[in-house]
Amino acid sequence: MKNLWPQKFEENSRISAKAFLEEQAKLLPTLTDGMVYADVYQSRDPGRLAMRNDFMFHFDIRGRFLEDYRFHLLEFSHDITLYPVKFQIDDQIAKELKLANEFGDSEIKVVETPEELEAFVSAVLRSKRLGNVIGSIIRLSH
Amino acid sequence: MELRFLLEQLRDTLREAYVKFLFWNVGGRTVDKEIIALVADERPDFLVLAEYKTSTIDLLRSMVAAGIHFYLIPSIACDRITIYSNIVPNHIHHRREASRFTIKEIRSTGTKPILLCLVHLLSKLHASDDDQLYGAISLKNAIEKAETEAGHKNTIVFGDFNMNPFDKGMLFAAALNAISCLRTAERESRMVQGQVQNLFYNPTWNLLGDFIEGPGTYFHKSPSSLSLYWNMLDQVIMRPELARGLDRDSLKIIRAAGGTSFITDEGLPSVSDHLPIVFSIDIPC
C-alpha cells in the first residue's frame, strides 16, 4: 500500500497560551513577598469562548492568606492548533485597554501569534485595575 | 389588646433569630441621609449597595454617629458593590469574585455557614438578551464552584440582576434555573439533556403586579411595541433548603424611610432610579 503520510511531522514549536501564562503566574509570588499568586486551570464549562474551541482555561488571582478568595481575571480558549487564542478578560480591564466600550460589553480579544500574545498579556498584567486588585489582596493579607 | 401586644412581642423575639438583608442600587446618587434613614427603619444585618460612589468611610462614620454599628466589608475587585454588616468581618470570608459579582461566606458560631452572592449584572440598556444569558451562565458556574469549595449549598444570591424573574438568564436550566414555586424547587435539581441542573427558588416573583403594592423596583418607558414599564430587576434567589427559613412577609420593596418618600406622586422611583428591597431569613443551626 502506498504511504500517504508525509515523511515526518514537526512538533509545533510555538509556545501555548497556557504555558506562557503559567510562566507569568510563577513570577507573581516573587513580586508580592509570596502573598499573591495566580492559578491557571482547565475548564469544561460550556462558556461562550469554548463553543468552537477544544481547550478552555481560566486565570484567577489568589491570596495566600485569603485562602478562599479568587479574582477571575480572564479565560482563554483555542483549538488543537494552539492559535488563534480567544481571550475574555475582566470588563474593567477591557475598558482600561480600550477593548470594550464604557459598558464593558465587548471584552473579547483574539490573538493570532505568540508575539501578539505577549503584547496582550503584558498589557493586562500591567493594567491599573489589576494593580489595584493585587494591592487590595496584599492589604487584606496583613 | 394584651394578647395582641404579647403576640407582637413574641414576633419581635422570633425575628431576632432571623438575618435581615437590605439591597439598594442607589444609581450613583449621593443619598447618605436616605440610606441612614432606611437602615434606622429596617435595622438590617446586611446593607448592600450598588452604584454607591460617595465615600464608603464617611457613610460608615455617619451610620456609627447615628447609632448604627456596622462594619464596612472590604472590597477587593468588585467595586460595583458596597457591603456593610453588623457581623464582625472575621466571620466573613472572601470567596470567588469578578467585576459584576462577589461571593462571601458567613461562618458564625451557632448557625450553618452561608454563601452570600451579591450581584450587579449587565444592564439591559447596554447588553443583548444573549449577553445577559451568558453572564448568568458564568455566574451560575462560579456559584457552583464556590458551593463545591465550601462544601455546602446554603446559598443566597441577591442584588441588581438587571433581568426580570421571567428572563432567560434567570430561568434557563444552564443559567440560574430560578423558579417561582418553592414546592417545585424542593426537588433541588432537574435533569436536562443528561445533566443535573440545581434549582434556585425565586420568591421575587411574588412582588410582580400591583395587587399588593407597586409592581417593581425600576421603571423604564420604551418606545418599542413591547414595553413592560415596571421591572423587577432587584431580586433575591436562594437554594430551596434555605428558602424554608424565608420570612415571606419580610420580602418587600421599600418606598419610604424616615419620613422621606422614595417615589414621586405618580409612584415612580425618585431618590434613585431603583427602589430598595428587604428580606429576612432564618439561618438554621
Side-chain angles (χ1 to χ4, degrees):
Chain A
M1 190 198 295
K2 200 171 164 185
N3 181 358
L4 300 178
W5 294 97
Q7 289 292 313
K8 70 185 261 207
F9 292 96
E10 296 292 336
E11 185 180 324
N12 187 343
S13 60
R14 298 194 297 178
I15 189 167
S16 72
K18 177 175 178 274
F20 184 82
L21 281 161
E22 280 174 342
E23 282 176 7
Q24 294 304 314
K26 277 185 205 153
L27 300 172
L28 186 55
T30 59
L31 298 168
T32 58
D33 292 331
M35 283 196 269
V36 186
Y37 64 104
D39 187 9
V40 183
Y41 58 99
Q42 191 160 8
S43 166
R44 299 195 187 284
D45 292 343
R48 180 164 55 177
L49 291 179
M51 286 169 79
R52 287 195 209 95
N53 286 324
D54 296 331
F55 302 95
M56 180 174 176
F57 302 90
H58 294 268
F59 189 102
D60 289 354
I61 303 292
R62 306 197 62 182
R64 192 164 308 282
F65 301 105
L66 297 175
E67 53 178 318
D68 301 318
Y69 181 75
R70 281 177 180 271
F71 167 59
H72 186 53
L73 175 63
L74 57 84
E75 58 197 59
F76 60 97
S77 72
H78 55 75
D79 66 18
I80 192 68
T81 62
L82 303 183
Y83 289 85
V85 187
K86 202 188 276 186
F87 283 87
Q88 184 177 20
I89 62 171
D90 172 74
D91 60 355
Q92 291 187 45
I93 294 177
K95 225 181 286 176
E96 189 181 328
L97 302 185
K98 304 203 185 320
L99 294 180
N101 62 28
E102 63 174 307
F103 307 111
D105 51 4
S106 58
E107 61 274 17
I108 288 177
K109 167 85 176 172
V110 178
V111 300
E112 304 281 348
T113 63
E115 292 73 29
E116 278 182 35
L117 174 71
E118 185 174 331
F120 175 64
V121 171
S122 167
V124 172
L125 300 187
R126 288 164 188 258
S127 65
K128 200 173 154 201
R129 155 86 164 154
L130 182 58
N132 288 341
V133 170
I134 290 174
S136 297
I137 294 174
I138 293 170
R139 174 170 50 86
L140 289 173
S141 299
H142 286 303
Chain B
M1 190 68 183
E2 197 178 329
L3 178 64
R4 189 171 170 183
F5 174 75
L6 284 172
L7 279 172
E8 275 180 9
Q9 212 172 32
L10 177 65
R11 197 177 162 97
D12 280 350
T13 309
L14 287 173
R15 272 185 205 287
E16 281 174 14
Y18 280 69
V19 180
K20 190 169 190 177
F21 301 90
L22 195 157
F23 173 79
W24 192 13
N25 181 336
V26 296
R29 300 185 199 177
T30 303
V31 289
D32 285 13
K33 209 177 81 189
E34 290 81 359
I35 292 170
I36 291 165
L38 192 55
V39 173
D41 277 7
E42 295 294 330
R43 291 183 295 149
D45 299 289
F46 282 86
L47 166 68
V48 180
L49 304 171
E51 292 188 31
Y52 181 77
K53 292 177 180 165
T54 322
S55 164
T56 52
I57 294 295
D58 285 351
L59 176 58
L60 183 65
R61 284 199 189 104
S62 304
M63 286 197 286
V64 170
I68 301 159
H69 295 287
F70 269 162
Y71 301 93
L72 174 62
I73 308 305
S75 138
I76 301 174
C78 184
D79 48 16
R80 286 187 163 88
I81 294 167
T82 305
I83 310 166
Y84 296 92
S85 173
N86 57 15
I87 292 178
V88 181
N90 284 353
H91 294 300
I92 299 177
H93 299 263
H94 303 278
R95 284 198 171 272
R96 288 175 176 265
E97 194 169 61
S99 76
R100 294 193 170 274
F101 67 84
T102 181
I103 303 177
K104 312 286 184 203
E105 186 179 23
I106 318 302
R107 292 189 222 142
S108 298
T109 45
T111 59
K112 277 187 179 176
I114 54 169
L115 285 173
L116 280 188
C117 177
L118 312 166
V119 303
H120 183 204
L121 303 184
L122 267 175
S123 166
K124 277 184 181 302
L125 299 177
H126 316 298
S128 68
D129 284 355
D130 287 343
D131 282 330
Q132 288 197 309
L133 176 59
Y134 174 71
I137 292 171
S138 296
L139 173 64
K140 174 255 189 59
N141 289 332
I143 291 169
E144 294 202 339
K145 280 176 185 149
E147 288 176 336
T148 303
E149 288 158 3
H152 63 81
K153 286 185 189 160
N154 306 320
T155 310
I156 305 170
V157 188
F158 66 98
D160 180 359
F161 288 76
N162 265 313
M163 291 184 279
N164 279 298
F166 45 82
D167 279 328
K168 287 179 186 174
M170 298 302 299
L171 283 174
F172 267 36
L176 291 167
N177 206 11
I179 61 174
S180 61
C181 169
L182 178 55
R183 188 180 289 177
T184 311
E186 280 177 335
R187 295 165 52 183
E188 295 190 356
S189 64
R190 57 188 286 235
M191 186 75 89
V192 181
Q193 296 176 21
Q195 291 208 320
V196 176
Q197 304 285 2
N198 294 318
L199 286 157
F200 275 106
Y201 167 56
N202 186 354
T204 326
W205 277 91
N206 294 291
L207 299 180
L208 290 168
D210 64 352
F211 272 19
I212 302 172
E213 286 182 277
T217 54
Y218 180 81
F219 186 86
H220 178 68
K221 198 161 65 174
S222 161
S224 77
S225 59
L226 174 64
S227 181
L228 293 171
Y229 294 94
W230 279 101
N231 295 271
M232 194 64 229
L233 306 183
D234 306 281
Q235 303 182 57
V236 52
I237 63 176
M238 59 195 72
R239 292 294 188 204
E241 194 176 315
L242 273 187
R244 287 164 209 142
L246 174 70
D247 174 5
R248 290 175 173 210
D249 297 336
S250 72
L251 176 59
K252 58 188 178 190
I253 301 167
I254 308 288
R255 294 178 175 78
T260 302
S261 175
F262 291 1
I263 54 176
T264 63
D265 291 343
E266 293 77 38
L268 306 182
S270 57
V271 177
S272 160
D273 53 353
H274 288 247
L275 292 170
I277 59 164
V278 67
F279 61 95
S280 296
I281 189 159
D282 183 15
I283 307 298
C285 299

